């Protein structure tokens, strides 16, 4: 069933360690909705610290985000109607390429299985943008990306504040910086309607679980790599520095 553009616009990631479980299954919810209760339950003890359900869900969420935002970034680089839009696409591609490399590095250390496809909901985001033309393409892409980045921002903060796993903490630091960079670069396009975005961030529609969960990878299939174009390898995508007070202030 195809979701309308307006609906999609309102919807919106070890050999040396000791694991208490030999494999960690997908969480029940991996979309933008709130995760189920019991997220503080420890599912593995590793040399990097205890791993909770919330920690595992977070790593998978970061991976899943890249699986749709990286190709969307490539699309925006090609079809964006302004230099600011194309720049936003570049930051999406590079930022999520680097986050994905981090997820692929730490997942084996923590015994986490990563998806190779985004959730149906996330795939619909890309299809909705792809079906738009001209100014509608720019505004639709910007709105969807700004809403979803705003929604994950609070999740990152909670993980960073609560996790006792050093690898998950490092990923949260990187994700926080990357998402803030993406929010900033999207706002530079001048297409963000903050009132609309705030409403959509805080009141996402309820969606069935099968729409928000990435499908598991096929057994034995290689882990998909989100490549960064060679010409963008040196692009800086860390969060902008905080505004410094004026020397005359005080």
């Amino acid at each position: 069933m195809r979701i309308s553009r307006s609906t999609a616009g309102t919807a919106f990631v070890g050999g040396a360690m000791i694991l208490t479980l030999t494999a960690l299954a997908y969480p029940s919810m991996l979309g933008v909705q709130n995760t189920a209760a019991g997220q503080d339950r420890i599912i593995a003890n590793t040399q990097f610290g205890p791993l909770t359900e919330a920690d595992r869900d977070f790593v998978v969420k970061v991976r899943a985000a890249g699986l749709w935002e990286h190709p969307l970034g490539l699309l925006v680089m090609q079809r964006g109607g302004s230099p600011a839009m194309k720049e936003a696409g570049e930051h999406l591609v590079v930022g999520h390429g680097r986050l994905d490399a981090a997820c692929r590095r730490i997942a084996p250390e923590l015994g986490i299985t990563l998806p190779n496809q985004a959730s149906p909901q996330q795939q619909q985001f890309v299809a909705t943008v792809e079906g738009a033309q001209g100014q509608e393409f720019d505004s639709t892409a910007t709105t969807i990306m700004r809403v979803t980045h705003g929604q994950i921002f609070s999740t990152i903060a909670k993980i960073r504040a609560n996790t006792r796993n050093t690898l998950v903490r490092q990923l949260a630091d990187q994700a926080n910086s990357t998402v803030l960079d993406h929010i900033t670069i999207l706002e530079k396009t001048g297409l963000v309607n903050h009132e609309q975005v705030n409403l959509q961030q805080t009141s996402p529609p309820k969606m069935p679980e099968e729409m928000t969960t990435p499908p598991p990878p096929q057994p034995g299939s290689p882990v998909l790599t989100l490549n960064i174009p060679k010409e963008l390898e040196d692009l800086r995508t860390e969060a902008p520095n905080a505004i410094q007070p004026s020397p005359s202030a005080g």
Side-chain angles (χ1 to χ4, degrees):
M1 179 179 68
R2 182 175 177 83
I3 300 175
S4 69
R5 293 171 187 168
S6 60
T7 301
T10 61
F12 152 68
V13 201
M17 66 179 161
I18 302 174
L19 288 176
T20 59
L21 297 177
T22 57
L24 302 177
Y26 281 151
S28 60
M29 283 291 203
L30 294 175
V32 299
Q33 300 175 17
N34 292 331
T35 52
Q39 291 287 287
D40 293 336
R41 182 174 69 88
I42 295 174
I43 57 176
N45 288 305
T46 81
Q47 66 171 346
F48 308 102
L51 186 78
T52 65
E53 288 191 14
D55 293 335
R56 176 199 58 194
D57 290 10
F58 176 68
V59 176
V60 178
K61 278 185 178 181
V62 174
R63 164 71 171 179
L67 290 172
W68 74 275
E69 292 182 33
H70 183 277
L72 182 57
L74 291 172
L75 185 65
V76 171
M77 285 172 59
Q78 297 170 0
R79 294 177 52 190
S82 69
M85 281 298 298
K86 294 181 184 297
E87 182 184 21
E90 292 176 353
H91 279 244
L92 283 171
V93 169
V94 174
H96 283 289
R98 291 171 180 164
L99 280 175
D100 188 70
C103 288
R104 288 184 286 106
R105 175 178 58 82
I106 71 173
E109 301 281 2
L110 299 176
I112 297 174
T113 301
L114 296 176
N116 272 334
Q117 296 180 52
S119 71
Q121 178 195 35
Q122 292 167 332
Q123 293 180 45
Q124 184 61 52
F125 290 156
V126 180
T128 298
V129 176
E130 195 170 24
Q133 301 294 329
Q135 180 63 28
E136 184 187 11
F137 173 88
D138 288 355
S139 60
T140 301
T142 301
T143 298
I144 290 177
M145 291 187 292
R146 180 60 181 81
V147 169
T148 53
H149 279 78
Q151 288 173 328
I152 196 64
F153 214 16
S154 59
T155 299
I156 297 170
K158 185 175 181 179
I159 290 292
R160 180 60 181 84
N162 296 331
T163 186
R164 291 182 285 160
N165 188 285
T166 57
L167 292 185
V168 175
R169 189 178 301 126
Q170 291 168 7
L171 180 64
D173 283 339
Q174 183 180 351
N176 183 76
S177 181
T178 301
V179 170
L180 181 55
D181 170 72
H182 290 176
I183 288 175
T184 303
I185 210 74
L186 288 167
E187 290 172 348
K188 282 179 60 178
T189 65
L191 297 176
V192 174
N193 181 325
H194 289 279
E195 183 176 347
Q196 177 189 22
V197 165
N198 290 341
L199 176 63
Q200 293 173 0
Q201 284 178 180
T202 56
S203 303
K206 298 294 183 182
M207 301 194 72
E209 181 179 331
E210 60 268 21
M211 287 293 293
T212 61
T213 303
Q218 293 296 317
S221 61
V223 178
L224 179 67
T225 299
L226 303 183
N227 295 316
I228 298 174
K230 193 170 185 60
E231 65 272 16
L232 297 178
E233 288 179 350
D234 295 329
L235 181 68
R236 298 183 61 179
T237 59
E238 64 271 16
N241 293 329
I243 298 176
Q244 299 299 317
S246 168
S248 61

